[in-house]
Amino acid sequence: MQLNIAIIAETAPARTLIPIIERLDDANITSLTHGEGASDILSLYSDEVIQIGKSRRNTNKKRSNALIATLVMKDTYKTYRELKKRDIDFVLTCGNSGDVRKGIIAAKKLKIPNIHIEQDIYNPIEVISYADIITTPTHYAQKKLKKLYNITNTVNIKGYPQAAYVNEVQLINKHEIYQHYGTNNFYVLVLGGDAQAADIPKIMHQVGKLARDVIVIPYRFNAQYVSQFIKDDNILVVDGFVDLLSLMNASCGVIYIAGMGITIEVGVLETPAVKIQGFHDEHQSNHLAESLGIEIAAIEDIPLAVSRMKKPNGRLLVRNGINASWRVVDLINNFKVFKKEKGGYSSLKNIWNQRKKYR
């Protein structure tokens, strides 16, 4: 029987779900997301792509809680409406963004089985407590979810499926990248979700000290906001979607203040990298970075850390990622066997209290 599966994720988490999609036999895939990047990636693997909101990049201007709640409710209702139109057998979610929140709430309301791929065990989205099955990349992460949030409906898939995607994706030739940007001697700076707007001026000041071209991918930030802090001609901010994997692969090194996605990617590409310490005191991506040999540096130490960065050792990431993808497929095919009692409201409250530390 052909399964109808909806996947709901932003750009980076979508790369985790793609190897799973590729290993499902004869499944009809509906992707719900927002933003140009995620749509471009998912359209290659989906029968249909639906926009469920607009990208809302960060600046130093805070949105009110009332406005955020209104936007989330509007997008959640759209997700619910789109899922209801279709005979969906499973909803797959990944990441800790608003899209996951919309997907899990809609799936719960419609009583559609939901499997959530969790990687950021210290700062997950609070509604994962209502997912039917939550996967973890390691036994350590599985134990942490139970200890921190009393979440026990977990399965350890023993790896990161995204690593399989990075290993299999077709990259743009390095010389094409060099020609496009007019340089073959550059670093890539990624400003991801572990950064706050107040960090950007300090980061740009330190990056300005590097004696090399720097291509900045603002990712979760408005490009104009980032550009105002640049005082050096050798720094370029890219506005809009970019093939980040190919860009990082062609670079001399990656400096990033982001989470699990970039850590997995530089690990598989074995590109020299430095991870900037973000606002999370603890982060699963920090553990992974350290195991790969990637230094985690304070903002003021960026120049020093870059001067001694080295290639990460990511050989096991790919093998484990491929096996993890197959384990998720097994969860889908044998869903009733693995289903356990959900964490529910008490777990949601525990996660909510943890997330308040980072607001």
Side-chain angles (χ1 to χ4, degrees), residues 290-323:
E290 289 170 345
S291 72
L292 295 172
I294 298 171
E295 182 176 352
I296 301 168
I299 292 174
E300 59 270 21
D301 294 331
I302 290 174
L304 177 61
V306 168
S307 71
R308 62 191 183 200
M309 68 180 173
K310 56 186 179 181
K311 288 185 177 182
N313 182 8
R315 287 189 296 272
L316 284 177
L317 274 177
V318 175
R319 187 185 71 184
N320 292 343
I322 292 171
N323 292 335

Short mmCIF file of all heavy atoms in Angstrom, two decimals, residues 290-323:
data_model
loop_
_atom_site.label_atom_id
_atom_site.label_comp_id
_atom_site.label_asym_id
_atom_site.label_seq_id
_atom_site.Cartn_x
_atom_site.Cartn_y
_atom_site.Cartn_z
N GLU A 290 32.87 18.82 19.35
CA GLU A 290 34.06 18.42 20.12
C GLU A 290 34.52 17.02 19.72
O GLU A 290 35.72 16.75 19.62
CB GLU A 290 33.74 18.49 21.61
CG GLU A 290 33.61 19.92 22.13
CD GLU A 290 33.06 19.98 23.55
OE1 GLU A 290 32.52 18.95 24.02
OE2 GLU A 290 33.14 21.05 24.18
N SER A 291 33.57 16.11 19.48
CA SER A 291 33.94 14.75 19.09
C SER A 291 34.58 14.71 17.71
O SER A 291 35.35 13.79 17.41
CB SER A 291 32.71 13.83 19.13
OG SER A 291 31.82 14.12 18.05
N LEU A 292 34.26 15.70 16.87
CA LEU A 292 34.83 15.78 15.52
C LEU A 292 36.14 16.54 15.47
O LEU A 292 36.80 16.61 14.44
CB LEU A 292 33.83 16.46 14.57
CG LEU A 292 32.51 15.72 14.32
CD1 LEU A 292 31.55 16.62 13.53
CD2 LEU A 292 32.74 14.42 13.59
N GLY A 293 36.50 17.19 16.58
CA GLY A 293 37.73 17.98 16.63
C GLY A 293 37.54 19.42 16.20
O GLY A 293 38.49 20.09 15.81
N ILE A 294 36.30 19.92 16.29
CA ILE A 294 36.01 21.31 15.95
C ILE A 294 36.05 22.15 17.22
O ILE A 294 35.35 21.85 18.19
CB ILE A 294 34.62 21.44 15.29
CG1 ILE A 294 34.57 20.65 13.98
CG2 ILE A 294 34.25 22.90 15.05
CD1 ILE A 294 33.18 20.54 13.37
N GLU A 295 36.86 23.19 17.21
CA GLU A 295 36.98 24.05 18.40
C GLU A 295 35.74 24.92 18.56
O GLU A 295 35.19 25.44 17.59
CB GLU A 295 38.21 24.94 18.29
CG GLU A 295 38.42 25.84 19.51
CD GLU A 295 39.70 26.65 19.45
OE1 GLU A 295 40.51 26.42 18.53
OE2 GLU A 295 39.89 27.52 20.34
N ILE A 296 35.31 25.08 19.81
CA ILE A 296 34.21 25.99 20.14
C ILE A 296 34.84 27.21 20.80
O ILE A 296 35.44 27.12 21.88
CB ILE A 296 33.20 25.33 21.07
CG1 ILE A 296 32.63 24.07 20.40
CG2 ILE A 296 32.07 26.29 21.43
CD1 ILE A 296 31.84 23.17 21.31
N ALA A 297 34.71 28.36 20.13
CA ALA A 297 35.44 29.55 20.55
C ALA A 297 34.49 30.68 20.95
O ALA A 297 33.40 30.82 20.38
CB ALA A 297 36.35 30.03 19.43
N ALA A 298 34.92 31.50 21.91
CA ALA A 298 34.20 32.72 22.24
C ALA A 298 34.36 33.72 21.10
O ALA A 298 35.33 33.64 20.32
CB ALA A 298 34.74 33.30 23.54
N ILE A 299 33.45 34.66 21.00
CA ILE A 299 33.48 35.63 19.90
C ILE A 299 34.82 36.35 19.84
O ILE A 299 35.41 36.51 18.76
CB ILE A 299 32.32 36.63 20.03
CG1 ILE A 299 30.98 35.93 19.80
CG2 ILE A 299 32.48 37.79 19.04
CD1 ILE A 299 29.76 36.79 20.05
N GLU A 300 35.32 36.77 20.98
CA GLU A 300 36.58 37.54 21.01
C GLU A 300 37.79 36.69 20.61
O GLU A 300 38.86 37.23 20.33
CB GLU A 300 36.80 38.16 22.38
CG GLU A 300 36.87 37.20 23.54
CD GLU A 300 35.51 36.93 24.18
OE1 GLU A 300 34.47 37.15 23.51
OE2 GLU A 300 35.50 36.48 25.35
N ASP A 301 37.61 35.37 20.58
CA ASP A 301 38.73 34.49 20.23
C ASP A 301 38.67 33.98 18.80
O ASP A 301 39.43 33.06 18.43
CB ASP A 301 38.75 33.28 21.19
CG ASP A 301 39.04 33.69 22.62
OD1 ASP A 301 39.75 34.70 22.82
OD2 ASP A 301 38.56 33.02 23.55
N ILE A 302 37.78 34.54 17.98
CA ILE A 302 37.62 34.05 16.61
C ILE A 302 38.94 34.06 15.83
O ILE A 302 39.31 33.03 15.24
CB ILE A 302 36.54 34.85 15.87
CG1 ILE A 302 35.15 34.51 16.43
CG2 ILE A 302 36.58 34.57 14.37
CD1 ILE A 302 34.02 35.35 15.86
N PRO A 303 39.69 35.17 15.79
CA PRO A 303 40.94 35.16 14.99
C PRO A 303 41.92 34.08 15.42
O PRO A 303 42.53 33.40 14.57
CB PRO A 303 41.51 36.56 15.22
CG PRO A 303 40.32 37.40 15.54
CD PRO A 303 39.43 36.50 16.35
N LEU A 304 42.09 33.88 16.71
CA LEU A 304 43.01 32.86 17.22
C LEU A 304 42.52 31.47 16.84
O LEU A 304 43.31 30.63 16.37
CB LEU A 304 43.15 32.99 18.74
CG LEU A 304 44.03 31.93 19.42
CD1 LEU A 304 45.46 31.99 18.90
CD2 LEU A 304 43.99 32.10 20.93
N ALA A 305 41.23 31.22 17.05
CA ALA A 305 40.68 29.89 16.74
C ALA A 305 40.79 29.57 15.25
O ALA A 305 41.10 28.43 14.87
CB ALA A 305 39.23 29.81 17.20
N VAL A 306 40.55 30.58 14.41
CA VAL A 306 40.63 30.37 12.96
C VAL A 306 42.07 30.05 12.55
O VAL A 306 42.31 29.21 11.66
CB VAL A 306 40.12 31.62 12.20
CG1 VAL A 306 40.47 31.55 10.71
CG2 VAL A 306 38.61 31.75 12.38
N SER A 307 43.04 30.67 13.22
CA SER A 307 44.45 30.44 12.86
C SER A 307 44.89 29.01 13.12
O SER A 307 45.88 28.55 12.55
CB SER A 307 45.34 31.41 13.65
OG SER A 307 45.39 31.05 15.03
N ARG A 308 44.17 28.28 13.96
CA ARG A 308 44.58 26.91 14.29
C ARG A 308 43.51 25.86 13.97
O ARG A 308 43.60 24.72 14.41
CB ARG A 308 44.96 26.82 15.77
CG ARG A 308 43.83 27.14 16.73
CD ARG A 308 44.35 27.31 18.14
NE ARG A 308 43.28 27.55 19.10
CZ ARG A 308 43.46 28.10 20.30
NH1 ARG A 308 44.66 28.47 20.68
NH2 ARG A 308 42.43 28.26 21.11
N MET A 309 42.49 26.26 13.21
CA MET A 309 41.43 25.30 12.90
C MET A 309 41.95 24.22 11.94
O MET A 309 42.86 24.45 11.15
CB MET A 309 40.19 25.99 12.31
CG MET A 309 40.33 26.61 10.95
SD MET A 309 38.74 27.36 10.48
CE MET A 309 39.23 28.20 8.96
N LYS A 310 41.33 23.06 12.03
CA LYS A 310 41.79 21.91 11.24
C LYS A 310 40.59 21.14 10.71
O LYS A 310 39.44 21.39 11.10
CB LYS A 310 42.64 20.99 12.11
CG LYS A 310 41.93 20.51 13.37
CD LYS A 310 42.84 19.73 14.28
CE LYS A 310 42.09 19.27 15.54
NZ LYS A 310 42.96 18.53 16.47
N LYS A 311 40.87 20.19 9.83
CA LYS A 311 39.80 19.37 9.26
C LYS A 311 39.19 18.49 10.34
O LYS A 311 39.90 17.84 11.10
CB LYS A 311 40.34 18.48 8.14
CG LYS A 311 40.70 19.21 6.86
CD LYS A 311 41.11 18.20 5.79
CE LYS A 311 41.40 18.91 4.47
NZ LYS A 311 41.76 17.93 3.40
N PRO A 312 37.86 18.44 10.42
CA PRO A 312 37.22 17.53 11.38
C PRO A 312 37.30 16.09 10.90
O PRO A 312 37.46 15.82 9.71
CB PRO A 312 35.76 18.01 11.40
CG PRO A 312 35.56 18.68 10.09
CD PRO A 312 36.89 19.28 9.70
N ASN A 313 37.19 15.18 11.83
CA ASN A 313 37.23 13.75 11.51
C ASN A 313 35.79 13.23 11.47
O ASN A 313 35.23 12.87 12.50
CB ASN A 313 38.06 13.00 12.55
CG ASN A 313 38.16 11.52 12.25
OD1 ASN A 313 37.74 11.06 11.19
ND2 ASN A 313 38.71 10.77 13.19
N GLY A 314 35.19 13.20 10.29
CA GLY A 314 33.78 12.85 10.17
C GLY A 314 33.49 11.53 9.50
O GLY A 314 32.37 11.32 9.00
N ARG A 315 34.44 10.62 9.50
CA ARG A 315 34.27 9.36 8.74
C ARG A 315 33.08 8.54 9.23
O ARG A 315 32.33 7.96 8.45
CB ARG A 315 35.55 8.53 8.82
CG ARG A 315 36.70 9.07 7.97
CD ARG A 315 37.85 8.09 7.91
NE ARG A 315 38.45 7.90 9.23
CZ ARG A 315 39.42 8.65 9.72
NH1 ARG A 315 39.89 9.66 9.02
NH2 ARG A 315 39.92 8.40 10.92
N LEU A 316 32.89 8.47 10.55
CA LEU A 316 31.80 7.65 11.09
C LEU A 316 30.44 8.28 10.88
O LEU A 316 29.42 7.59 10.91
CB LEU A 316 32.02 7.40 12.59
CG LEU A 316 33.09 6.38 12.96
CD1 LEU A 316 33.24 6.31 14.47
CD2 LEU A 316 32.75 5.01 12.41
N LEU A 317 30.39 9.60 10.68
CA LEU A 317 29.12 10.29 10.52
C LEU A 317 28.30 9.71 9.37
O LEU A 317 27.08 9.51 9.49
CB LEU A 317 29.35 11.78 10.27
CG LEU A 317 29.51 12.70 11.47
CD1 LEU A 317 29.81 14.12 11.00
CD2 LEU A 317 28.26 12.70 12.34
N VAL A 318 28.95 9.45 8.24
CA VAL A 318 28.23 8.99 7.05
C VAL A 318 27.66 7.59 7.26
O VAL A 318 26.46 7.35 7.03
CB VAL A 318 29.15 9.01 5.82
CG1 VAL A 318 28.43 8.41 4.61
CG2 VAL A 318 29.58 10.44 5.51
N ARG A 319 28.48 6.67 7.70
CA ARG A 319 28.02 5.29 7.91
C ARG A 319 26.86 5.25 8.91
O ARG A 319 25.83 4.59 8.66
CB ARG A 319 29.17 4.42 8.40
CG ARG A 319 28.81 2.92 8.49
CD ARG A 319 29.93 2.12 9.08
NE ARG A 319 30.08 2.38 10.51
CZ ARG A 319 31.06 1.86 11.26
NH1 ARG A 319 31.99 1.09 10.70
NH2 ARG A 319 31.13 2.13 12.54
N ASN A 320 27.02 5.94 10.02
CA ASN A 320 25.97 5.96 11.03
C ASN A 320 24.71 6.67 10.52
O ASN A 320 23.59 6.30 10.85
CB ASN A 320 26.47 6.64 12.30
CG ASN A 320 27.54 5.83 13.01
OD1 ASN A 320 27.71 4.65 12.74
ND2 ASN A 320 28.29 6.47 13.90
N GLY A 321 24.91 7.71 9.69
CA GLY A 321 23.77 8.45 9.15
C GLY A 321 22.94 7.60 8.21
O GLY A 321 21.70 7.67 8.21
N ILE A 322 23.59 6.79 7.38
CA ILE A 322 22.86 5.90 6.46
C ILE A 322 22.06 4.87 7.26
O ILE A 322 20.87 4.64 6.99
CB ILE A 322 23.86 5.20 5.51
CG1 ILE A 322 24.47 6.21 4.55
CG2 ILE A 322 23.17 4.07 4.74
CD1 ILE A 322 25.64 5.67 3.73
N ASN A 323 22.69 4.28 8.27
CA ASN A 323 21.99 3.30 9.09
C ASN A 323 20.83 3.93 9.86
O ASN A 323 19.77 3.32 10.02
CB ASN A 323 22.96 2.65 10.07
CG ASN A 323 23.98 1.76 9.37
OD1 ASN A 323 23.72 1.26 8.28
ND2 ASN A 323 25.13 1.56 9.99
#
